[in-house]
Amino acid sequence: MSVRIMTVCTGNICRSPYAQLALGHALESVRPGAFEVTSAGTQAMIGNAVDPGSASILEGRGVVHDGFAAQQISERLLEGVDIVLPLEVSHRKIVLSYSPRHLKRAFTLKELARLLDSANEREPWTQRLAGLATPEERWGALPSHLARERGLSRAPEGADDIADPYRRPQEVFDRMARDVDAAIERIVAFEEQFS
């Protein structure tokens, strides 16, 4: 069994594949074989490879993206996914239109990172999740804690979104990657503390 995470953006060629591959790579280095990270698009450019703007950043970090093909989000793809990480709040609404049962298991990538930190300040995760030995148990318990935290920790409108770099200059892709990387760092730190 592995924890199944899906990242979601619009075309599934810029943001969500970058987040999928970078997060998967980082989690694999902390907890080999424990996570399966995939991605999809709300208006996917089906079958397309990773956009060159994102691909060049992944290559620079030694993250493999060969064989990636964009796919359209669907009810079937969401089956069995433990946590969905849209890149914008608007994508979350679309995810829920396909799978209402993900209501408490869909957070924008930035929101997940923010809520992990703010919940930890109220009560450390190592205390909250004491006795949960496996990543599956921890990530299974996480949504109920984060749903409560969501009610206590609000962000200004747009603060949890990551801007779409599609057809924009490379510096917009670089900014997107920095935003994604900052969130991933906090998500991976959450899992790392249980080592």
Side-chain angles (χ1 to χ4, degrees), residues 23-122:
L23 178 61
H25 183 78
L27 286 170
E28 184 65 20
S29 66
V30 171
R31 199 83 62 226
F35 292 86
E36 180 191 333
V37 189
T38 59
S39 66
T42 59
Q43 297 170 41
M45 298 172 79
I46 297 169
N48 280 27
V50 179
D51 184 284
S54 293
S56 64
I57 304 168
L58 290 166
E59 286 160 14
R61 302 192 180 160
V63 178
V64 177
H65 61 84
D66 303 355
F68 176 87
Q71 58 182 353
Q72 175 64 29
I73 195 166
S74 66
E75 193 177 341
R76 185 187 57 78
L77 273 187
L78 286 161
E79 275 175 30
V81 171
D82 299 300
I83 301 274
V84 186
L85 299 177
L87 278 289
E88 286 180 30
V89 171
S90 63
H91 297 137
R92 182 174 182 269
K93 293 177 181 143
I94 295 167
V95 166
L96 297 179
S97 75
Y98 283 102
S99 180
R101 66 184 188 82
H102 277 91
L103 179 66
K104 290 185 175 173
R105 292 190 284 154
F107 306 87
T108 74
L109 184 74
K110 283 177 84 171
E111 180 187 25
L112 176 65
R114 180 172 60 75
L115 295 178
L116 285 171
D117 284 356
S118 60
N120 190 62
E121 285 167 19
R122 287 181 221 283

